[in-house]
């Protein structure tokens, strides 16, 4: 398998990891609302693991294939770039917030954890969902220029 083929293989793997992260985030939110802390903890560790694995595979994919040019034009291109830009900026913002949340939970500082999670959760969910949207637009709806 050459670098291009491996990079193209990793793209749907990364989308699947984003879907897993999204699913675990939503489930974790439901569990904390129901005060089921053990299941919340498991879901959030799974979401963080899926997101972390995504980051590793994304860096590998990017190093193998570089950026892809979006093939859509006009309004579709503007929408795609707006989603992509917001996704990228918020992904950079949310990464240290997730690490901080895990740290606070590990130290049993749950009041601080809950206060930070109110801001971090919607950003993390947005990044996970828009990752799926970017993948769908780039690889399935419009395709990309190689």
């Amino acid at each position: 398998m050459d670098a291009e083929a491996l990079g193209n293989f990793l793209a749907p793997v990364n989308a699947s990891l984003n879907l897993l992260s999204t699913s675990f985030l939503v489930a974790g939110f439901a569990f904390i609302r129901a005060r089921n802390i053990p299941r919340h903890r498991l879901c959030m560790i799974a979401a963080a693991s899926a997101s972390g694995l995504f980051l590793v595979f994304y860096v590998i994919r990017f190093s193998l294939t570089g950026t892809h040019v979006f093939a859509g034009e006009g309004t579709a291109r503007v929408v795609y770039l707006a989603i992509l830009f917001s996704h990228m900026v918020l992904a950079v913002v949310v990464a240290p917030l997730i690490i901080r949340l895990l740290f606070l939970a590990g130290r049993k500082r749950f009041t601080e954890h809950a206060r930070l999670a109110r801001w971090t959760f919607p950003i993390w969910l947005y990044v996970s969902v828009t990752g799926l949207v970017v993948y769908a637009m780039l690889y399935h709806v419009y395709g990309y220029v190689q």
Side-chain angles (χ1 to χ4, degrees):
M1 182 180 288
D2 67 350
E4 184 73 24
L6 180 57
N8 288 334
F9 171 78
L10 286 176
V13 169
N14 282 341
S16 298
L17 289 167
N18 264 331
L19 180 59
L20 274 174
S21 181
T22 300
S23 301
F24 283 124
L25 284 170
V26 171
F29 180 78
F31 284 130
I32 199 62
R33 299 294 287 176
R35 306 258 191 259
N36 188 333
I37 293 170
R39 287 197 173 147
H40 167 75
R41 179 182 298 128
L42 285 174
C43 284
M44 301 317 286
I45 290 170
S49 298
S51 291
L53 199 53
F54 164 85
L55 182 58
V56 169
F57 287 164
Y58 178 80
V59 170
I60 292 169
R61 192 216 48 84
F62 182 81
S63 68
L64 293 172
T65 62
T67 60
H68 296 279
V69 177
F70 180 69
E73 298 175 355
T75 303
R77 184 173 183 76
V78 171
V79 168
Y80 170 79
L81 290 174
I83 293 169
L84 178 63
F85 181 74
S86 65
H87 169 80
M88 290 169 39
V89 168
L90 290 174
V92 169
V93 168
V94 80
L97 296 175
I98 294 167
I99 293 167
R100 179 73 177 159
L101 280 176
L102 294 171
F103 172 81
L104 291 171
R107 297 290 180 164
K108 299 186 183 338
R109 293 165 53 184
F110 298 119
T111 302
E112 293 171 81
H113 173 85
R115 192 176 7 219
L116 182 60
R118 283 186 184 90
W119 291 95
T120 304
F121 172 77
I123 298 169
W124 191 359
L125 186 61
Y126 178 85
V127 167
S128 291
V129 170
T130 55
L132 291 167
V133 171
V134 165
Y135 169 77
M137 290 181 77
L138 183 61
Y139 287 91
H140 297 287
V141 177
Y142 292 96
Y144 67 91
V145 179
Q146 292 185 337

